[in-house]
């Protein structure tokens, strides 16, 4: 689905942003990027694919961290979070960055490069992940009403992401 051009289309960026938002667990970001995916022409199938890829990577990262924390053998069966097309790998890479999983990041970065994804497309995913992670943290802190200060306040209405 990625075009020959060096940058991603608006739809591709929004699908990656949606996956990052799901993996980061940011409801306002997910809501925002669902709207943007639809505006960019995304259909139900593309949304299911992006969300499924994000959940797969998030679950795999969580299991890997569980195994590490319990001192278990890090070797495990293949999680199935692999793809044969560039966009699906960029979705998985974005999700891996969102959950800060170096193993999944390395895996999907290597796979994306092997599929011929250009460095500027990878840079776009890195920038999206950094921005959405920052927004997700901001939304969580806002819900706490001044985290660390004991002022929990009332949860705000759904905030707008990005």
């Amino acid at each position: 689905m990625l075009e020959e051009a060096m940058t991603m289309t608006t739809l591709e960026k929004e699908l990656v942003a949606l996956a990052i938002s799901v993996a980061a667990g940011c409801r306002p970001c997910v809501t925002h990027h669902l709207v943007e995916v639809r505006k960019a022409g995304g259909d139900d199938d593309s949304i299911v694919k992006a969300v499924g890829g994000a959940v797969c990577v998030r679950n795999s990262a969580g299991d890997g961290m569980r195994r590490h924390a319990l001192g278990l053998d890090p070797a495990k069966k293949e999680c199935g979070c692999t793809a044969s097309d560039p966009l699906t790998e960029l979705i998985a890479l974005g999700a891996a960055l969102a959950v800060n999983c170096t193993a999944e990041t390395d895996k999907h970065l290597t796979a994306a490069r092997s599929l011929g994804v250009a460095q500027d497309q990878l840079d776009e995913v890195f920038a999206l992940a950094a921005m959405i992670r920052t927004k997700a943290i901001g939304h969580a802190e806002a819900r706490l009403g001044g985290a660390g200060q004991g002022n929990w306040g009332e949860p705000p209405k759904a905030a707008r992401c990005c």
Side-chain angles (χ1 to χ4, degrees), residues 63-142:
D63 185 55
M65 191 55 64
R66 177 189 65 82
R67 296 182 69 75
H68 174 72
L70 296 175
L72 300 174
D73 181 2
K76 59 179 181 154
K77 68 178 190 172
E78 180 59 42
C79 69
C81 303
T82 58
S84 60
D85 69 276
L87 178 58
T88 304
E89 280 301 341
L90 291 177
I91 285 167
L93 175 60
L97 292 165
V99 296
N100 199 35
C101 181
T102 55
E104 289 292 317
T105 298
D106 289 344
K107 173 181 153 183
H108 294 292
L109 180 58
T110 298
R113 286 182 172 148
S114 75
L115 291 170
V117 174
Q119 185 61 47
D120 59 342
Q121 293 168 328
L122 296 172
D123 291 343
E124 286 184 83
V125 173
F126 296 139
L128 277 171
M131 181 204 41
I132 292 169
R133 283 176 46 167
T134 300
K135 290 283 189 177
I137 291 166
H139 292 310
E141 289 174 346

Side-chain angles (χ1 to χ4, degrees), residues 25-81:
C26 181
R27 268 184 196 263
C29 297
V30 168
T31 300
H32 171 75
H33 290 293
L34 278 170
V35 170
E36 295 303 314
V37 164
R38 293 291 189 192
K39 282 183 189 175
D43 59 12
D44 290 346
D45 289 341
S46 63
I47 291 169
V48 167
K49 186 176 178 180
V51 171
V55 170
C56 182
V57 170
R58 184 177 175 144
N59 289 344
S60 178
D63 185 55
M65 191 55 64
R66 177 189 65 82
R67 296 182 69 75
H68 174 72
L70 296 175
L72 300 174
D73 181 2
K76 59 179 181 154
K77 68 178 190 172
E78 180 59 42
C79 69
C81 303

